[in-house]
Amino acid sequence: MIASSALAILLVVSAAAFDPLKHSGGASPYFDAPTLPGLGPETPDGCVVDQAAYFVRHGARYPEASDFTGWQELFWKIQNATFTASGPLAFIPEWVPPVDSADNELADLSSTGSQEAFDLGVELRKRYAFTDGGENFTAWTTSETRVLDTATYFTRGYLSAGNYLSDPSLNRGHLIVLPDGLTAEQAANATNGSFADSLTPSTSCPPYAVFKSNGSSASDTFSNTYQNQTAARINAFLQGNLSFVGTDIGIMQDLCGFGFEISGDRRFCEVFTDEEWLDYEYTNDLNYYYADGPGNPFSAVCGFPWIKAVTDLFEVGPNNTVPNGTITPPPLIMGFAHDTYLPPLISALGLWNNSVLSITQRDSNPLREFRSGHLVAFRGYLALERLSCTPPPPLSNNTGVFHQAGVLGGSVVTLGTTTPVTNSTTPKLYVRVRADNAPVPIPKCSSGPGQTCPLDEFVSMVNGPLANAAGDYIEVCVLTNVTGPGVSGISGNGSTVKFLTTKGDGTEVLVGLN
């Protein structure tokens, strides 16, 4: 009965607060994903996060050239017709694509994307307090302009806003820029072969690409179940020789998210019903699930190297490095890339794969796990946190906190004494996963505070069943016989992430403060 009541409340709240911008998949502006009932995003009592790793998609951007072509075709279709539009379509005679300069804006970060990145920097500075004012900070990023800009704006938000311009040794951001999306052939012939040692390893795995096309096929199959009917419905608001078809619907629904992100225009958001938005959301879910997520059998092997690298760093702890490492990563490990490289991390962790998504009928379960907008929205992220938990001695009517003059802090004591109350509890370590801020419990490993996973169990899981399920990157991706200047020592090395702990991987860029 309690579970049924909770579900009913969830459904009522969801219906009352329906927002198309939270059901637009990869076209959504960033929003915090909803949490599971009874599981908030707060750090559990008695715990502190002493180390965290984030894999972040770039912020909101202008359209890719291919998408912009679709926008232009829609614009000219409208402008070359004679018609009367009413109701939710009354705005289309004056609508223009929200791009001011195609030569300078396409595919690059929008002002919304810049703000999203800057805000995340501020948020994590406050959340963790890892970096004091004036300290330097290092992050890792791919080289695509919109990703590099996202990392730059994040770093500016994360660092202190004090005036450190006169001393270039203080308060600077250092970005390690890695190759962006090298194919296996490009990686083999590059100076730095990368392969799994990358933020974009799936593009270097040929079998992955073979199955990736299943995403668009599944999405197109499902789109055909609703877009023609939707076009027929909205055509009722038109009189004249303008008539929309099914392929126009996807473009219009894309323009809800993009229009809002670029210029604040929500008019396309109001054209469609809630059910049509849920259908659109599901087309995005199918695309990501079968192209890059659990529906691609080569997804886990491409996500595992980063998960393994972070696990090794969590095992040795903050301000330490793994054996044979030459650099010490900061307690906050930031990586910036693209949307399609996030679902493999979910696959590698064995998350959100408890059901196969139908391509002919929308899965209407309100608690369905795999929702692309809860992971790959603009500036979406997957994060792993290491928590150190020591429940403090409970305060009671007989206890207080004693402070010694000139000594920062205090200790719990029995009132009237200065003798600390004994607390023999030693810190215990746990791991928590976040997707767009929402905690995601790890199946079969959630016995810790706030359904976290004990660190030793997490390490065993990653090095055991998850490693076995993923397989070796070089072997599974059929790269053992690849030759070229970039594959020197590829066996073994090509299957691991070294850039977090080894100098020389990538090009260092200094983030300016002005």
Side-chain angles (χ1 to χ4, degrees), residues 90-453:
F91 73 94
I92 63 172
E94 63 179 10
W95 172 77
V96 295
V99 173
D100 298 321
S101 174
D103 292 338
N104 298 291
E105 294 175 342
L106 294 189
D108 284 338
L109 210 62
S110 66
S111 57
T112 299
S114 303
Q115 181 180 5
E116 288 171 334
F118 190 92
D119 288 349
L120 180 62
V122 175
E123 178 183 336
L124 298 192
R125 175 72 174 270
K126 293 179 178 179
R127 176 180 295 172
Y128 298 125
F130 284 155
T131 304
D132 293 335
E135 289 187 358
N136 294 328
F137 179 73
T138 298
W140 288 263
T141 175
T142 65
S143 58
E144 191 81 27
T145 300
R146 59 183 177 270
V147 183
L148 187 57
D149 287 348
T150 298
T152 299
Y153 279 105
F154 167 86
T155 305
R156 288 174 175 164
Y158 185 76
L159 291 174
S160 171
N163 183 2
Y164 294 92
L165 293 176
S166 61
D167 189 343
S169 68
L170 300 178
N171 204 53
R172 294 302 192 272
H174 299 263
L175 302 182
I176 308 300
V177 184
L178 303 168
D180 195 316
L182 297 182
T183 66
E185 182 179 8
Q186 290 170 332
N189 290 287
T191 302
N192 178 358
S194 64
F195 294 95
D197 190 25
S198 165
L199 288 165
T200 57
S202 59
T203 50
S204 299
C205 180
Y208 184 99
V210 173
F211 282 87
K212 184 176 176 65
S213 61
N214 290 340
S216 58
S217 297
S219 179
D220 290 344
T221 298
F222 180 75
S223 295
N224 290 332
T225 68
Y226 84 95
Q227 287 184 342
N228 290 332
Q229 294 92 317
T230 299
R233 183 188 68 80
I234 67 173
N235 282 337
F237 297 103
L238 298 172
Q239 295 179 2
N241 65 356
L242 176 62
S243 179
F244 294 120
V245 297
T247 53
D248 295 324
I249 300 304
I251 296 172
M252 290 180 173
Q253 291 188 297
D254 286 346
L255 280 161
C256 168
F258 277 99
F260 176 77
E261 291 148 12
I262 295 171
S263 61
D265 185 358
R266 290 185 59 120
R267 290 176 294 181
F268 277 108
C269 303
E270 311 304 325
V271 170
F272 305 100
T273 67
D274 292 358
E275 288 297 309
E276 289 164 349
W277 281 115
L278 293 175
D279 285 336
Y280 173 71
E281 176 184 47
Y282 195 65
T283 63
N284 279 272
D285 296 346
L286 289 170
N287 186 28
Y288 285 103
Y289 182 88
Y290 286 105
D292 307 295
N296 185 328
F298 293 89
S299 178
V301 73
C302 294
F304 182 79
W306 188 83
I307 297 295
K308 165 64 174 169
V310 171
T311 301
D312 290 346
L313 292 172
F314 279 12
E315 192 173 13
V316 300
N319 299 313
N320 293 304
T321 190
V322 298
N324 301 318
T326 56
I327 60 175
T328 302
L332 179 61
I333 303 161
M334 298 297 302
F336 297 87
H338 302 273
D339 52 344
T340 54
Y341 302 104
L342 278 160
L345 304 180
I346 290 292
S347 300
L349 287 167
L351 304 177
W352 294 0
N353 62 355
N354 61 351
S355 62
V356 176
L357 300 187
S358 168
I359 64 175
T360 58
Q361 184 176 0
R362 171 167 38 102
D363 185 340
S364 59
N365 178 5
L367 299 180
R368 171 168 53 87
E369 290 182 332
F370 192 94
R371 292 182 186 270
S372 55
H374 296 174
L375 178 67
V376 301
F378 285 120
R379 209 214 70 186
Y381 62 79
L382 183 110
L384 278 71
E385 297 176 322
R386 192 183 104 141
L387 290 80
S388 177
C389 302
T390 307
L395 290 174
S396 67
N397 292 335
N398 297 320
T399 59
V401 178
F402 171 74
H403 174 257
Q404 174 68 46
V407 178
L408 181 66
S411 56
V412 177
V413 299
T414 301
L415 290 178
T417 75
T418 60
T419 303
V421 174
T422 301
N423 182 12
S424 59
T425 303
T426 57
K428 295 183 179 180
L429 302 175
Y430 302 90
V431 173
R432 177 166 67 169
V433 178
R434 287 181 187 257
D436 288 2
N437 202 39
V440 181
I442 300 172
K444 300 180 181 179
C445 192
S446 57
S447 61
Q451 298 188 43
T452 54
C453 177

